[in-house]
Amino acid sequence: MDVQVFGVVGGGTMGNGIAHVAAQTGFPVLLCEVDAALGAKALKTIEKNLQRGVDKGKTTADEKAAVLGRIKTTTRLEDLSGCEIVVEAVVENFDVKKKVFQTLDAACGPGTVLASNTSSISITKLAATTKRPGKVIGMHFMNPVPVMQLVEVIRGIATEQAVLDAVMALARKMGKMPVEVNDYPGFVSNRVLLPMINEAVYCLMEGVGTPEAIDTVMKLGMNHPMGPLALADLIGLDTCLFILNVLHDGLGDPKYRPCPLLIKMVDAGHLGRKSGRGFYAY
Ligand code: CAA
């Protein structure tokens, strides 16, 4: 894929990370947010994350400025019409994503690939809302995007082989390791990860251990870089609950039922790092 402009929709945790990595690859990036203030906030986050590399001497201030200079923001989805690829990273809500996909489908040229960074919504179902199901694909980056190697590339039932090949090559060009998977609830990453996190929340609810004890067991005992409860706080407890519900509804197996404590924390607005409080205080 010869990317002249790389489109990103949504400048939250995942969207700003995707824009960051695309600009670092050398692509001009057009980032669409719902209002100008959110666009500016996304740029500020990217600036802060690029500064980490400058502080550590891994990149220069000039390189940081060049990367930032490649990212423009807009509030109009129609402005992405000339992009070769658009990666959608808006809230995990099918109706919101559907609206984004249908607007992009109407605005973009027939060759534009529409990718979703969804962590669990069906790519096949999203694709079916457009007139280009063959050009719809999942491009699931991991958080924090600039650091994590994996891109889970999800093939919907109609995704064209050429689109899959092009997106795999694009992910490699962005310095990532793409892994192809088929479209089933939770794909591979979250089908395996979320039951582990859910079980950790059950351990906490049943008093098997404190958050620190549970996380330390998994960190030191299983060599995980962070424990499951700290990771849940990083992902966002609302996102964890949403994905568990997708697994529960989509696979129909009670083993995926979300832990009542997780539901209670989401009800309380304790969503993890983004709200300042989850299993830990931030
Ligand atoms: N942007 C840019 N760089 C970042 C960053 C960010 N947001 N966050 C961390 N970094 C960089 C740091 O600058 C540091 O760089 P150097 O190695 O060059 O020094 C490096 O990452 C490590 O960071 P820290 O030293 O601050 O902290 P750490 O060693 O504890 O690592 C971590 C932090 C990378 C988050 C690590 O704990 C980790 O890998 N955790 C697991 C993350 C994980 O599992 N992610 C997947 C979540 S699931 C998901 O995303 C999918 C889904 O659908 C839910």
PDB file of all heavy atoms in Angstrom, residues 192-220:
ATOM      1  N   VAL A 192      -8.026 -14.570  25.295  1.00  0.00           N
ATOM      2  CA  VAL A 192      -7.122 -15.203  26.248  1.00  0.00           C
ATOM      3  C   VAL A 192      -6.846 -14.275  27.443  1.00  0.00           C
ATOM      4  O   VAL A 192      -6.803 -14.716  28.592  1.00  0.00           O
ATOM      5  CB  VAL A 192      -5.807 -15.606  25.533  1.00  0.00           C
ATOM      6  CG1 VAL A 192      -4.816 -16.214  26.517  1.00  0.00           C
ATOM      7  CG2 VAL A 192      -6.104 -16.600  24.397  1.00  0.00           C
ATOM      8  N   LEU A 193      -6.670 -12.988  27.152  1.00  0.00           N
ATOM      9  CA  LEU A 193      -6.293 -12.049  28.218  1.00  0.00           C
ATOM     10  C   LEU A 193      -7.425 -11.779  29.216  1.00  0.00           C
ATOM     11  O   LEU A 193      -7.206 -11.772  30.428  1.00  0.00           O
ATOM     12  CB  LEU A 193      -5.848 -10.708  27.587  1.00  0.00           C
ATOM     13  CG  LEU A 193      -5.497  -9.596  28.579  1.00  0.00           C
ATOM     14  CD1 LEU A 193      -4.274  -9.983  29.403  1.00  0.00           C
ATOM     15  CD2 LEU A 193      -5.230  -8.287  27.827  1.00  0.00           C
ATOM     16  N   LEU A 194      -8.615 -11.522  28.701  1.00  0.00           N
ATOM     17  CA  LEU A 194      -9.685 -11.064  29.598  1.00  0.00           C
ATOM     18  C   LEU A 194     -10.139 -12.102  30.616  1.00  0.00           C
ATOM     19  O   LEU A 194     -10.408 -11.750  31.766  1.00  0.00           O
ATOM     20  CB  LEU A 194     -10.852 -10.504  28.782  1.00  0.00           C
ATOM     21  CG  LEU A 194     -10.829  -8.968  28.663  1.00  0.00           C
ATOM     22  CD1 LEU A 194     -10.961  -8.292  30.038  1.00  0.00           C
ATOM     23  CD2 LEU A 194      -9.568  -8.459  28.013  1.00  0.00           C
ATOM     24  N   PRO A 195     -10.223 -13.404  30.267  1.00  0.00           N
ATOM     25  CA  PRO A 195     -10.553 -14.372  31.313  1.00  0.00           C
ATOM     26  C   PRO A 195      -9.507 -14.374  32.438  1.00  0.00           C
ATOM     27  O   PRO A 195      -9.851 -14.571  33.608  1.00  0.00           O
ATOM     28  CB  PRO A 195     -10.588 -15.710  30.560  1.00  0.00           C
ATOM     29  CG  PRO A 195     -11.002 -15.315  29.175  1.00  0.00           C
ATOM     30  CD  PRO A 195     -10.281 -14.004  28.930  1.00  0.00           C
ATOM     31  N   MET A 196      -8.243 -14.111  32.092  1.00  0.00           N
ATOM     32  CA  MET A 196      -7.217 -14.051  33.148  1.00  0.00           C
ATOM     33  C   MET A 196      -7.472 -12.853  34.062  1.00  0.00           C
ATOM     34  O   MET A 196      -7.433 -12.965  35.293  1.00  0.00           O
ATOM     35  CB  MET A 196      -5.818 -13.963  32.544  1.00  0.00           C
ATOM     36  CG  MET A 196      -4.758 -13.920  33.618  1.00  0.00           C
ATOM     37  SD  MET A 196      -3.114 -13.522  33.023  1.00  0.00           S
ATOM     38  CE  MET A 196      -3.282 -11.798  32.642  1.00  0.00           C
ATOM     39  N   ILE A 197      -7.738 -11.695  33.453  1.00  0.00           N
ATOM     40  CA  ILE A 197      -8.006 -10.501  34.254  1.00  0.00           C
ATOM     41  C   ILE A 197      -9.253 -10.717  35.115  1.00  0.00           C
ATOM     42  O   ILE A 197      -9.267 -10.414  36.311  1.00  0.00           O
ATOM     43  CB  ILE A 197      -8.165  -9.278  33.321  1.00  0.00           C
ATOM     44  CG1 ILE A 197      -6.801  -8.891  32.747  1.00  0.00           C
ATOM     45  CG2 ILE A 197      -8.818  -8.100  34.066  1.00  0.00           C
ATOM     46  CD1 ILE A 197      -6.836  -7.750  31.737  1.00  0.00           C
ATOM     47  N   ASN A 198     -10.298 -11.288  34.514  1.00  0.00           N
ATOM     48  CA  ASN A 198     -11.550 -11.532  35.249  1.00  0.00           C
ATOM     49  C   ASN A 198     -11.298 -12.438  36.454  1.00  0.00           C
ATOM     50  O   ASN A 198     -11.818 -12.216  37.536  1.00  0.00           O
ATOM     51  CB  ASN A 198     -12.553 -12.182  34.280  1.00  0.00           C
ATOM     52  CG  ASN A 198     -13.994 -12.038  34.718  1.00  0.00           C
ATOM     53  OD1 ASN A 198     -14.371 -11.019  35.288  1.00  0.00           O
ATOM     54  ND2 ASN A 198     -14.793 -13.059  34.454  1.00  0.00           N
ATOM     55  N   GLU A 199     -10.475 -13.458  36.261  1.00  0.00           N
ATOM     56  CA  GLU A 199     -10.176 -14.395  37.354  1.00  0.00           C
ATOM     57  C   GLU A 199      -9.406 -13.687  38.463  1.00  0.00           C
ATOM     58  O   GLU A 199      -9.616 -13.976  39.650  1.00  0.00           O
ATOM     59  CB  GLU A 199      -9.365 -15.569  36.785  1.00  0.00           C
ATOM     60  CG  GLU A 199      -9.494 -16.862  37.546  1.00  0.00           C
ATOM     61  CD  GLU A 199     -10.947 -17.332  37.737  1.00  0.00           C
ATOM     62  OE1 GLU A 199     -11.754 -17.243  36.800  1.00  0.00           O
ATOM     63  OE2 GLU A 199     -11.261 -17.784  38.858  1.00  0.00           O
ATOM     64  N   ALA A 200      -8.552 -12.743  38.075  1.00  0.00           N
ATOM     65  CA  ALA A 200      -7.817 -11.971  39.083  1.00  0.00           C
ATOM     66  C   ALA A 200      -8.793 -11.129  39.906  1.00  0.00           C
ATOM     67  O   ALA A 200      -8.633 -10.989  41.123  1.00  0.00           O
ATOM     68  CB  ALA A 200      -6.775 -11.076  38.406  1.00  0.00           C
ATOM     69  N   VAL A 201      -9.828 -10.590  39.251  1.00  0.00           N
ATOM     70  CA  VAL A 201     -10.825  -9.789  39.980  1.00  0.00           C
ATOM     71  C   VAL A 201     -11.629 -10.695  40.918  1.00  0.00           C
ATOM     72  O   VAL A 201     -11.921 -10.333  42.060  1.00  0.00           O
ATOM     73  CB  VAL A 201     -11.753  -9.006  39.019  1.00  0.00           C
ATOM     74  CG1 VAL A 201     -12.661  -8.068  39.815  1.00  0.00           C
ATOM     75  CG2 VAL A 201     -10.961  -8.200  37.999  1.00  0.00           C
ATOM     76  N   TYR A 202     -11.955 -11.912  40.470  1.00  0.00           N
ATOM     77  CA  TYR A 202     -12.621 -12.871  41.377  1.00  0.00           C
ATOM     78  C   TYR A 202     -11.729 -13.175  42.589  1.00  0.00           C
ATOM     79  O   TYR A 202     -12.203 -13.279  43.716  1.00  0.00           O
ATOM     80  CB  TYR A 202     -12.942 -14.186  40.641  1.00  0.00           C
ATOM     81  CG  TYR A 202     -14.294 -14.182  39.943  1.00  0.00           C
ATOM     82  CD1 TYR A 202     -14.384 -14.140  38.557  1.00  0.00           C
ATOM     83  CD2 TYR A 202     -15.482 -14.255  40.676  1.00  0.00           C
ATOM     84  CE1 TYR A 202     -15.610 -14.146  37.905  1.00  0.00           C
ATOM     85  CE2 TYR A 202     -16.719 -14.262  40.037  1.00  0.00           C
ATOM     86  CZ  TYR A 202     -16.777 -14.212  38.664  1.00  0.00           C
ATOM     87  OH  TYR A 202     -17.999 -14.212  38.044  1.00  0.00           O
ATOM     88  N   CYS A 203     -10.436 -13.334  42.352  1.00  0.00           N
ATOM     89  CA  CYS A 203      -9.506 -13.599  43.473  1.00  0.00           C
ATOM     90  C   CYS A 203      -9.575 -12.467  44.486  1.00  0.00           C
ATOM     91  O   CYS A 203      -9.586 -12.699  45.698  1.00  0.00           O
ATOM     92  CB  CYS A 203      -8.065 -13.736  42.978  1.00  0.00           C
ATOM     93  SG  CYS A 203      -7.723 -15.307  42.202  1.00  0.00           S
ATOM     94  N   LEU A 204      -9.644 -11.236  43.966  1.00  0.00           N
ATOM     95  CA  LEU A 204      -9.721 -10.070  44.859  1.00  0.00           C
ATOM     96  C   LEU A 204     -11.058 -10.077  45.601  1.00  0.00           C
ATOM     97  O   LEU A 204     -11.111  -9.903  46.821  1.00  0.00           O
ATOM     98  CB  LEU A 204      -9.547  -8.794  44.023  1.00  0.00           C
ATOM     99  CG  LEU A 204      -9.595  -7.486  44.804  1.00  0.00           C
ATOM    100  CD1 LEU A 204      -8.430  -7.396  45.794  1.00  0.00           C
ATOM    101  CD2 LEU A 204      -9.555  -6.290  43.844  1.00  0.00           C
ATOM    102  N   MET A 205     -12.142 -10.302  44.856  1.00  0.00           N
ATOM    103  CA  MET A 205     -13.484 -10.262  45.455  1.00  0.00           C
ATOM    104  C   MET A 205     -13.621 -11.323  46.561  1.00  0.00           C
ATOM    105  O   MET A 205     -14.228 -11.080  47.592  1.00  0.00           O
ATOM    106  CB  MET A 205     -14.548 -10.481  44.371  1.00  0.00           C
ATOM    107  CG  MET A 205     -15.972 -10.296  44.881  1.00  0.00           C
ATOM    108  SD  MET A 205     -17.198 -10.510  43.577  1.00  0.00           S
ATOM    109  CE  MET A 205     -17.306 -12.293  43.483  1.00  0.00           C
ATOM    110  N   GLU A 206     -13.032 -12.490  46.324  1.00  0.00           N
ATOM    111  CA  GLU A 206     -13.168 -13.585  47.300  1.00  0.00           C
ATOM    112  C   GLU A 206     -12.134 -13.498  48.417  1.00  0.00           C
ATOM    113  O   GLU A 206     -12.054 -14.378  49.273  1.00  0.00           O
ATOM    114  CB  GLU A 206     -13.063 -14.929  46.558  1.00  0.00           C
ATOM    115  CG  GLU A 206     -14.285 -15.186  45.676  1.00  0.00           C
ATOM    116  CD  GLU A 206     -14.082 -16.331  44.684  1.00  0.00           C
ATOM    117  OE1 GLU A 206     -13.105 -17.093  44.808  1.00  0.00           O
ATOM    118  OE2 GLU A 206     -14.917 -16.450  43.772  1.00  0.00           O
ATOM    119  N   GLY A 207     -11.295 -12.460  48.371  1.00  0.00           N
ATOM    120  CA  GLY A 207     -10.316 -12.278  49.438  1.00  0.00           C
ATOM    121  C   GLY A 207      -9.145 -13.246  49.369  1.00  0.00           C
ATOM    122  O   GLY A 207      -8.470 -13.498  50.364  1.00  0.00           O
ATOM    123  N   VAL A 208      -8.893 -13.814  48.202  1.00  0.00           N
ATOM    124  CA  VAL A 208      -7.748 -14.733  48.077  1.00  0.00           C
ATOM    125  C   VAL A 208      -6.446 -13.964  48.279  1.00  0.00           C
ATOM    126  O   VAL A 208      -5.469 -14.478  48.817  1.00  0.00           O
ATOM    127  CB  VAL A 208      -7.745 -15.437  46.698  1.00  0.00           C
ATOM    128  CG1 VAL A 208      -6.622 -16.464  46.611  1.00  0.00           C
ATOM    129  CG2 VAL A 208      -9.082 -16.111  46.428  1.00  0.00           C
ATOM    130  N   GLY A 209      -6.439 -12.712  47.851  1.00  0.00           N
ATOM    131  CA  GLY A 209      -5.232 -11.904  48.047  1.00  0.00           C
ATOM    132  C   GLY A 209      -5.547 -10.437  47.838  1.00  0.00           C
ATOM    133  O   GLY A 209      -6.602 -10.077  47.297  1.00  0.00           O
ATOM    134  N   THR A 210      -4.619  -9.593  48.266  1.00  0.00           N
ATOM    135  CA  THR A 210      -4.754  -8.155  48.006  1.00  0.00           C
ATOM    136  C   THR A 210      -4.399  -7.904  46.533  1.00  0.00           C
ATOM    137  O   THR A 210      -3.793  -8.764  45.878  1.00  0.00           O
ATOM    138  CB  THR A 210      -3.761  -7.351  48.873  1.00  0.00           C
ATOM    139  OG1 THR A 210      -2.432  -7.775  48.489  1.00  0.00           O
ATOM    140  CG2 THR A 210      -3.980  -7.600  50.356  1.00  0.00           C
ATOM    141  N   PRO A 211      -4.723  -6.703  46.006  1.00  0.00           N
ATOM    142  CA  PRO A 211      -4.320  -6.406  44.622  1.00  0.00           C
ATOM    143  C   PRO A 211      -2.817  -6.578  44.430  1.00  0.00           C
ATOM    144  O   PRO A 211      -2.361  -7.152  43.434  1.00  0.00           O
ATOM    145  CB  PRO A 211      -4.744  -4.942  44.434  1.00  0.00           C
ATOM    146  CG  PRO A 211      -5.856  -4.731  45.406  1.00  0.00           C
ATOM    147  CD  PRO A 211      -5.552  -5.615  46.582  1.00  0.00           C
ATOM    148  N   GLU A 212      -2.059  -6.101  45.434  1.00  0.00           N
ATOM    149  CA  GLU A 212      -0.590  -6.194  45.323  1.00  0.00           C
ATOM    150  C   GLU A 212      -0.146  -7.660  45.298  1.00  0.00           C
ATOM    151  O   GLU A 212       0.744  -8.026  44.534  1.00  0.00           O
ATOM    152  CB  GLU A 212       0.089  -5.476  46.508  1.00  0.00           C
ATOM    153  CG  GLU A 212      -0.053  -3.965  46.503  1.00  0.00           C
ATOM    154  CD  GLU A 212      -1.421  -3.466  47.004  1.00  0.00           C
ATOM    155  OE1 GLU A 212      -2.258  -4.289  47.459  1.00  0.00           O
ATOM    156  OE2 GLU A 212      -1.660  -2.241  46.907  1.00  0.00           O
ATOM    157  N   ALA A 213      -0.783  -8.477  46.142  1.00  0.00           N
ATOM    158  CA  ALA A 213      -0.390  -9.898  46.194  1.00  0.00           C
ATOM    159  C   ALA A 213      -0.708 -10.585  44.865  1.00  0.00           C
ATOM    160  O   ALA A 213       0.125 -11.311  44.305  1.00  0.00           O
ATOM    161  CB  ALA A 213      -1.117 -10.594  47.342  1.00  0.00           C
ATOM    162  N   ILE A 214      -1.900 -10.335  44.344  1.00  0.00           N
ATOM    163  CA  ILE A 214      -2.319 -10.987  43.087  1.00  0.00           C
ATOM    164  C   ILE A 214      -1.385 -10.568  41.953  1.00  0.00           C
ATOM    165  O   ILE A 214      -0.888 -11.405  41.177  1.00  0.00           O
ATOM    166  CB  ILE A 214      -3.791 -10.617  42.766  1.00  0.00           C
ATOM    167  CG1 ILE A 214      -4.720 -11.226  43.830  1.00  0.00           C
ATOM    168  CG2 ILE A 214      -4.191 -11.075  41.364  1.00  0.00           C
ATOM    169  CD1 ILE A 214      -6.113 -10.617  43.872  1.00  0.00           C
ATOM    170  N   ASP A 215      -1.103  -9.274  41.884  1.00  0.00           N
ATOM    171  CA  ASP A 215      -0.246  -8.790  40.795  1.00  0.00           C
ATOM    172  C   ASP A 215       1.194  -9.281  40.943  1.00  0.00           C
ATOM    173  O   ASP A 215       1.846  -9.617  39.952  1.00  0.00           O
ATOM    174  CB  ASP A 215      -0.286  -7.258  40.729  1.00  0.00           C
ATOM    175  CG  ASP A 215      -1.517  -6.760  39.957  1.00  0.00           C
ATOM    176  OD1 ASP A 215      -2.237  -7.602  39.387  1.00  0.00           O
ATOM    177  OD2 ASP A 215      -1.741  -5.541  39.909  1.00  0.00           O
ATOM    178  N   THR A 216       1.675  -9.348  42.187  1.00  0.00           N
ATOM    179  CA  THR A 216       3.060  -9.791  42.389  1.00  0.00           C
ATOM    180  C   THR A 216       3.205 -11.272  42.011  1.00  0.00           C
ATOM    181  O   THR A 216       4.223 -11.678  41.425  1.00  0.00           O
ATOM    182  CB  THR A 216       3.493  -9.551  43.853  1.00  0.00           C
ATOM    183  OG1 THR A 216       3.329  -8.160  44.135  1.00  0.00           O
ATOM    184  CG2 THR A 216       4.950  -9.924  44.072  1.00  0.00           C
ATOM    185  N   VAL A 217       2.195 -12.063  42.330  1.00  0.00           N
ATOM    186  CA  VAL A 217       2.247 -13.495  41.952  1.00  0.00           C
ATOM    187  C   VAL A 217       2.419 -13.630  40.437  1.00  0.00           C
ATOM    188  O   VAL A 217       3.255 -14.396  39.943  1.00  0.00           O
ATOM    189  CB  VAL A 217       0.968 -14.229  42.423  1.00  0.00           C
ATOM    190  CG1 VAL A 217       0.846 -15.598  41.760  1.00  0.00           C
ATOM    191  CG2 VAL A 217       0.974 -14.392  43.949  1.00  0.00           C
ATOM    192  N   MET A 218       1.629 -12.854  39.698  1.00  0.00           N
ATOM    193  CA  MET A 218       1.676 -12.984  38.236  1.00  0.00           C
ATOM    194  C   MET A 218       2.944 -12.350  37.647  1.00  0.00           C
ATOM    195  O   MET A 218       3.483 -12.836  36.651  1.00  0.00           O
ATOM    196  CB  MET A 218       0.425 -12.354  37.609  1.00  0.00           C
ATOM    197  CG  MET A 218      -0.870 -13.031  38.010  1.00  0.00           C
ATOM    198  SD  MET A 218      -0.869 -14.820  37.734  1.00  0.00           S
ATOM    199  CE  MET A 218      -0.982 -14.879  35.957  1.00  0.00           C
ATOM    200  N   LYS A 219       3.426 -11.273  38.288  1.00  0.00           N
ATOM    201  CA  LYS A 219       4.635 -10.610  37.769  1.00  0.00           C
ATOM    202  C   LYS A 219       5.873 -11.464  38.007  1.00  0.00           C
ATOM    203  O   LYS A 219       6.629 -11.763  37.091  1.00  0.00           O
ATOM    204  CB  LYS A 219       4.825  -9.256  38.474  1.00  0.00           C
ATOM    205  CG  LYS A 219       4.192  -8.135  37.704  1.00  0.00           C
ATOM    206  CD  LYS A 219       4.492  -6.721  38.157  1.00  0.00           C
ATOM    207  CE  LYS A 219       5.083  -6.491  39.490  1.00  0.00           C
ATOM    208  NZ  LYS A 219       5.076  -5.076  39.887  1.00  0.00           N
ATOM    209  N   LEU A 220       6.051 -11.867  39.265  1.00  0.00           N
ATOM    210  CA  LEU A 220       7.280 -12.585  39.595  1.00  0.00           C
ATOM    211  C   LEU A 220       7.168 -14.072  39.307  1.00  0.00           C
ATOM    212  O   LEU A 220       8.153 -14.728  38.995  1.00  0.00           O
ATOM    213  CB  LEU A 220       7.641 -12.369  41.073  1.00  0.00           C
ATOM    214  CG  LEU A 220       7.849 -10.913  41.486  1.00  0.00           C
ATOM    215  CD1 LEU A 220       8.374 -10.827  42.916  1.00  0.00           C
ATOM    216  CD2 LEU A 220       8.803 -10.192  40.539  1.00  0.00           C
TER     217      LEU A 220
END
